[in-house]
Amino acid sequence: MNPFVYDLLNPILEEEKKAGLLDGGLLLALNGFSSSLYITGVIRNGSGIAQINKEYSVIASESNTFGPDSSGITDSSGRFFLSIGPGDTNVRVTELGEDLVTFTLNVSGPEFIQVKNVNPINYEISSIIPYAPTNKPAFFELISTSPANNETYIGVSPDLTLTFSDTLPEWDFSTLTTLVANNVSVTPSGISLLSPSLSPPNTIIIMTNVSTYDIEYTVQIGPGFYSTNGIPLTPRSVKFRLETLP
């Protein structure tokens, strides 16, 4: 599997700075490379569902500057928080003692963090960023969708359901409609997004009108959504295929 390379010195989305991170980009510059780094990322299964309350631990490391935080439990966003050094660090994620996924974090210099050797390969390790241990960041994530990421959905005009990691404000219909219009886009243009509604505490349901089937769609969800605590959403994209009944 080709590694995902996170360029830590070249931010790509200006509006994501206010969320405190760049998906695949910079949170803070790394000055020097002799001590351990604090790194966080989201673990998702093949359906794009964030892996919440899963145990993770470092099982091997090439570094002589192995950090003090080598294990933990993923939070309500599906995030791990680790302290690692340069070189390869192998991480195992389990549930009730059973392996879910293993992956390698490689820190090869102040510019690059790589995720590689993900097993099973359908798991996704994303939104990797370094952070300052004295200022642990808070995140607001999309934890699941329906249709799910990588799903083939058979049916007519399914609702698009977005479930988040924290509670949502009690937006009125006008505000919610504007947020959806400005932060949810679908390509290609065979899906129209219709009336959205809130399903408390943390879900948005959007009615759709599908004009083109037997095609894969990509839905992009932007950072304009925010939690009741005012934390902007980490941008996310999902893809699924829509097919009609036989």
Side-chain angles (χ1 to χ4, degrees):
M1 177 178 179
N2 292 330
F4 297 99
V5 179
Y6 297 88
D7 185 347
L8 299 178
L9 298 181
N10 295 287
I12 55 173
L13 291 177
E14 181 68 25
E15 62 265 40
E16 291 183 34
K17 290 181 182 177
K18 63 186 179 184
L21 80 108
L22 292 165
D23 193 4
L26 176 70
L27 176 68
L28 51 87
L30 302 178
N31 297 319
F33 193 57
S34 60
S35 61
S36 59
L37 304 175
Y38 287 80
I39 295 174
T40 178
V42 179
I43 303 169
R44 301 179 187 273
N45 67 11
S47 297
I49 299 173
Q51 298 298 285
I52 297 167
N53 294 328
K54 311 304 182 192
E55 296 181 3
Y56 60 86
S57 60
V58 171
I59 55 176
S61 175
E62 292 181 340
S63 174
N64 293 322
T65 57
F66 188 72
D69 296 335
S70 60
S71 63
I73 297 176
T74 55
D75 67 8
S76 61
S77 298
R79 280 192 169 271
F80 63 86
F81 294 83
L82 284 173
S83 175
I84 64 175
D88 282 353
T89 299
N90 299 331
V91 181
R92 174 186 290 135
V93 183
T94 63
E95 181 178 35
L96 300 176
E98 297 293 328
D99 286 359
L100 291 178
V101 60
T102 59
F103 60 91
T104 300
L105 296 171
N106 174 270
V107 181
S108 57
E111 294 89 1
F112 294 103
I113 299 172
Q114 297 176 329
V115 179
K116 59 184 185 179
N117 304 328
V118 180
N119 183 27
I121 62 173
N122 63 332
Y123 270 72
E124 174 188 346
I125 316 300
S126 61
S127 297
I128 302 291
I129 62 164
Y131 67 94
T134 56
N135 186 24
K136 187 176 180 179
F139 296 91
F140 181 50
E141 305 281 353
L142 184 69
I143 58 173
S144 67
T145 64
S146 179
N149 191 41
N150 298 318
E151 179 182 2
T152 295
Y153 182 95
I154 300 175
V156 177
S157 295
D159 290 341
L160 177 60
T161 301
L162 310 176
T163 301
F164 301 89
S165 62
D166 203 349
T167 56
L168 298 170
E170 295 180 1
W171 293 309
D172 59 32
F173 178 76
S174 176
T175 300
L176 181 58
T177 299
T178 299
L179 285 169
V180 169
N182 291 339
N183 291 280
V184 183
S185 63
V186 184
T187 53
S189 58
I191 296 180
S192 298
L193 302 179
L194 305 177
S195 177
S197 62
L198 286 174
S199 178
N202 62 339
T203 299
I204 296 173
I205 300 173
I206 307 169
M207 296 178 63
T208 69
N209 181 30
V210 181
S211 60
T212 305
Y213 288 88
D214 302 321
I215 192 172
E216 183 177 85
Y217 287 98
T218 298
V219 180
Q220 295 182 323
I221 302 97
F225 294 110
Y226 51 92
S227 70
T228 53
N229 294 321
I231 302 173
L233 180 70
T234 304
R236 171 80 176 149
S237 66
V238 298
K239 61 183 179 179
F240 49 80
R241 181 177 178 84
L242 295 183
E243 296 183 357
T244 54
L245 294 169

